[in-house]
Amino acid sequence: PEPVVESGGGSVQAGGSLRLSCVASEHIYRGNCIAWFRQVPGKERQGVAAIHTGPGTTYYADTVKGRFTISQDTDKNSVYLQMDSLKPEDTAMYYCGAEKRGACYTLEAVDFGWWGHGTQVTVSP
């Protein structure tokens, strides 16, 4: 099975909302860092939000604070990204990444070893 699987992308107008889901394998989910990243063609993958699944501590990039909310469902080994007040510049492929909990502090793609295939989010003006 895939280590992490994303779903929930789509197209929305500016100001709208989308909710992304990431389901992780049991051994990857427990006590680790699950994070959302996004990437546009020609640019590096950027961290958006992360959650340490043990205590539920959350981390956010400045660009999404106040608009995006990361949460988890421990019974389903799942992490969600609620995206509100979406802007055209939020358009990207969104990826779920997982790693040992220390990676939450950096939110750098290079520090994450497990990845999903991504889900596209498109925000029109």
Side-chain angles (χ1 to χ4, degrees):
E2 297 288 343
V4 290
V5 178
E6 309 96 333
S7 62
S11 297
V12 66
Q13 288 189 322
S17 298
L18 283 173
R19 186 185 191 224
L20 306 183
S21 299
C22 172
V23 181
S25 300
E26 172 78 17
H27 74 284
I28 290 174
Y29 177 83
R30 296 295 167 188
N32 283 334
C33 178
I34 309 293
W36 287 98
F37 291 79
R38 63 188 183 188
Q39 188 170 24
V40 297
K43 293 193 175 182
E44 293 184 352
R45 193 168 294 187
Q46 295 185 329
V48 173
I51 187 165
H52 179 198
T53 61
T57 309
T58 58
Y59 308 82
Y60 295 94
D62 289 340
T63 52
V64 304
K65 282 181 181 177
R67 299 190 299 122
F68 291 10
T69 304
I70 191 168
S71 62
Q72 64 176 337
D73 185 333
T74 57
D75 291 335
K76 297 181 179 179
N77 296 344
S78 294
V79 170
Y80 308 100
L81 186 68
Q82 177 67 40
M83 305 185 294
D84 299 319
S85 302
L86 282 162
K87 305 175 181 180
E89 50 264 44
D90 294 318
T91 295
M93 184 71 80
Y94 282 70
Y95 295 90
C96 181
E99 190 47 75
K100 300 298 184 183
R101 59 186 177 183
C104 271
Y105 301 120
T106 69
L107 208 54
E108 295 285 346
V110 68
D111 293 330
F112 285 74
W114 292 299
W115 292 100
H117 293 297
T119 184
Q120 178 68 36
V121 170
T122 302
V123 184
S124 57

